[in-house]
Amino acid sequence: MLDWLPPNVSTYGGEIDFFFHVIYYITAVVFFLVAGAMIVFLIKYRYKEGRRATYTHGNTTLEIVWTTATFVAMLILALVSKPLWGRIKQHTPMTQSMVTVQVTAKQFNWEVLYPGPDGEFDTAADSTAGTLDDYQVDNDVHVPVNTVVRVILKSKDVIHSFFVPQARLKQDAVPGHTISAWFEITQPGKYEIPCAELCGFGHSGMLGQLYVHTPEEYEAWKNEKWPPAPVAAADSTNIEAPQQ
Ligand SMILES: [Cu+2]
């Protein structure tokens, strides 16, 4: 099989690739049938001295056949791919270890927001401290391997498209909407997040990086970047709560 797609490192990527190839080869067969018929007709009915054009109303049977065949092919594809579409696009698997990042697209960056040590967006880890513990950075998404990653997608200006080719994930970010997408990557590495929607002058330079870490690397990254956890959230076996 021709393999022109980037290597798949996503849990659901294999099934996406399967449907990609099925649809691709159906399209290829139809293309060669149509283009072939056109070439045959061009040659067979080309200009000949003394030959007159004849009027024909077409062939009703033939028209019914190709319309029905197309309809049936589309219907089968829709029905067969529906469960996969539903599993990827219409619900997010809720697992214990799930990681959530919020990605806000803007001309021409991905603004990435992490919930910080308390795991909640727009909240402070320590309610008395008053400052938010969310961590924000442009274009760098850091996630652990073999973990469901939920991406909460927003846009500040125009329509962008969050695309991770190796994860087989592409999802529009639409102003005024909050869209939930997810992926789970099975191989640590660095992957690209291009914007796949022509979004303005700097569109071609809108590129994020997805760092997929081993659990140890991910913990190390978190400890370095996220604000230090306050006493309340720290491991209570080592640290005693301050006495008043
Ligand atoms: Cu964009």
Side-chain angles (χ1 to χ4, degrees):
M1 187 178 284
L2 282 170
D3 217 1
W4 61 86
L5 299 175
N8 162 48
V9 292
S10 164
T11 49
Y12 54 67
E15 290 162 281
I16 297 268
D17 288 359
F18 169 76
F19 279 111
F20 177 89
H21 287 112
V22 168
I23 294 168
Y24 188 85
Y25 286 116
I26 291 175
T27 313
V29 167
V30 171
F31 170 77
F32 284 113
L33 283 178
V34 170
M38 224 165 70
I39 291 166
V40 167
F41 275 61
L42 275 173
I43 295 167
K44 196 171 171 205
Y45 297 109
R46 70 187 185 280
Y47 174 77
K48 239 188 215 151
E49 191 77 49
R51 183 160 72 187
R52 303 271 329 248
T54 51
Y55 175 77
T56 170
H57 75 285
N59 185 322
T60 312
T61 314
L62 212 53
E63 280 182 32
I64 290 173
V65 167
W66 68 50
T67 307
T68 311
T70 310
F71 174 72
V72 169
M74 292 293 170
L75 192 68
I76 291 173
L77 279 177
L79 292 177
V80 173
S81 59
K82 174 73 181 66
L84 177 65
W85 183 261
R87 200 144 40 80
I88 299 173
K89 291 287 187 182
Q90 286 163 340
H91 105 287
T92 307
M94 296 291 170
T95 62
Q96 271 284 302
S97 58
M98 183 170 72
V99 165
T100 305
V101 291
Q102 185 174 296
V103 176
T104 306
K106 57 178 190 207
Q107 291 169 317
F108 299 96
N109 279 308
W110 304 108
E111 194 180 280
V112 186
L113 187 71
Y114 300 89
D118 67 348
E120 305 259 354
F121 290 101
D122 297 323
T123 56
D126 178 1
S127 54
T128 55
T131 48
L132 298 183
D133 66 345
D134 297 355
Y135 171 64
Q136 186 185 309
V137 65
D138 269 356
N139 294 326
D140 286 349
V141 180
H142 292 262
V143 298
V145 72
N146 294 323
T147 306
V148 174
V149 176
R150 183 167 58 151
V151 182
I152 299 170
L153 262 181
K154 297 180 178 186
S155 172
K156 275 189 177 166
D157 35 47
V158 299
I159 301 175
H160 300 268
S161 181
F162 185 85
F163 185 26
V164 188
Q166 285 90 343
R168 304 297 192 260
L169 169 66
K170 187 188 273 177
Q171 176 60 56
D172 277 5
V174 182
H177 284 269
T178 300
I179 298 170
S180 181
W182 71 277
F183 60 82
E184 179 175 350
I185 289 186
T186 53
Q187 250 178 63
K190 184 183 167 192
Y191 308 100
E192 292 189 333
I193 313 171
C195 176
E197 184 74 57
L198 190 56
C199 59
F201 191 71
H203 162 70
S204 62
M206 187 165 170
L207 181 67
Q209 313 294 336
L210 173 66
Y211 298 87
V212 179
H213 298 293
T214 61
E216 302 78 45
E217 275 173 9
Y218 181 67
E219 284 307 314
W221 172 82
K222 268 198 335 195
N223 289 336
E224 187 196 330
K225 295 291 183 187
W226 290 10
V231 176
D235 189 351
S236 57
T237 52
N238 297 329
I239 301 168
E240 286 197 1
Q243 301 288 319
Q244 302 255 303

